[in-house]
Amino acid sequence: MLFRSVSRLLDTLDRQALIERSKRGGVESVDVPGLLRWWAESYDVFRANSTSTFLAPNGAANALAGMAALPPAARVAVTGSFAAGRVAPVAGAALLVVYCDDLGQTAEALALLPAEDGANVALLQPFDSVVWERPTRDGGITYAAPSQVVVDCLSGTGRMPSEGEALLSWMTENEPSWRYPTLEKLDPTTGAA
């Protein structure tokens, strides 16, 4: 069953010219920007995940800095504008978007106040564990993989799509810094190189 599903997906991607296949059916190359845009067309970061919005009284940037002090057991990953802006800044990020396992604990640890209007932080409980794959750490803060950040931004609101496009351009120009040359380079237990 899984093999048929994967086979159908590969056929669809081939028809869309998002992958190139060998005569034997193996994937020879991938149009990464096209594939990420295709993924974003059927996804909405704020609707697909359980989302709660908050106000960080001292600003979203201070809440981001506070994430470095979260206990190691707290599984969190920054996505959206703050993650994209690390490598491809468009404008000053205003909304901090964070995947987390426990919305309540994360909000409490960061001293966030529930808010619908004027929110500057969105905490997302992910619908799928893929958001935890291939994260990066910088300054004690965990960030979602660039591909996840691109899709989240492209499907987001306000200037997030522009930030997603800027990150996608950076990914295209800096492919060796984020993409593994082969699957053999991955550690099967962690998904890291």
Side-chain angles (χ1 to χ4, degrees):
M1 180 73 167
L2 177 62
F3 178 76
R4 271 188 269 146
S5 296
V6 170
S7 180
R8 282 194 299 259
L9 176 59
L10 289 175
D11 288 343
T12 299
L13 296 175
D14 190 31
R15 282 192 306 277
Q16 302 267 343
L18 297 172
I19 63 170
E20 287 184 25
R21 298 176 87 177
S22 68
K23 290 180 181 180
R24 297 188 70 199
V27 176
E28 294 285 320
S29 67
V30 178
D31 172 6
V32 173
L35 183 61
L36 294 177
R37 287 184 185 104
W38 181 75
W39 175 12
E41 287 175 10
S42 62
Y43 177 73
D44 181 317
V45 65
F46 297 116
R47 289 195 176 129
N49 303 287
S50 177
T51 304
S52 295
T53 55
F54 299 88
L55 176 66
N58 295 321
N62 282 335
L64 174 69
M67 290 182 62
L70 291 176
R75 191 160 67 158
V76 296
V78 178
T79 189
S81 303
F82 278 89
R86 285 178 47 240
V87 295
V90 171
L95 179 66
L96 175 62
V97 182
V98 179
Y99 286 110
C100 59
D101 279 335
D102 189 313
L103 300 174
Q105 280 184 343
T106 304
E108 184 177 332
L110 297 175
L112 304 176
L113 306 172
E116 288 189 27
D117 296 326
N120 58 5
V121 178
L123 298 182
L124 313 175
Q125 196 165 31
F127 80 95
D128 189 289
S129 63
V130 73
V131 303
W132 307 119
E133 299 294 323
R134 299 178 60 200
T136 58
R137 288 197 48 88
D138 184 13
I141 299 169
T142 302
Y143 294 87
S147 55
Q148 182 70 52
V149 175
V150 165
V151 172
D152 290 343
C153 284
L154 291 176
S155 68
T157 59
R159 64 177 173 237
M160 286 178 73
S162 296
E163 294 162 333
E165 288 294 342
L167 180 56
L168 196 50
S169 292
W170 177 88
M171 289 174 69
T172 301
E173 295 165 9
N174 299 280
E175 192 169 333
S177 67
W178 63 268
R179 188 171 182 186
Y180 298 126
T182 65
L183 289 177
E184 288 80 31
K185 299 286 184 188
L186 293 177
D187 178 340
T189 60
T190 65

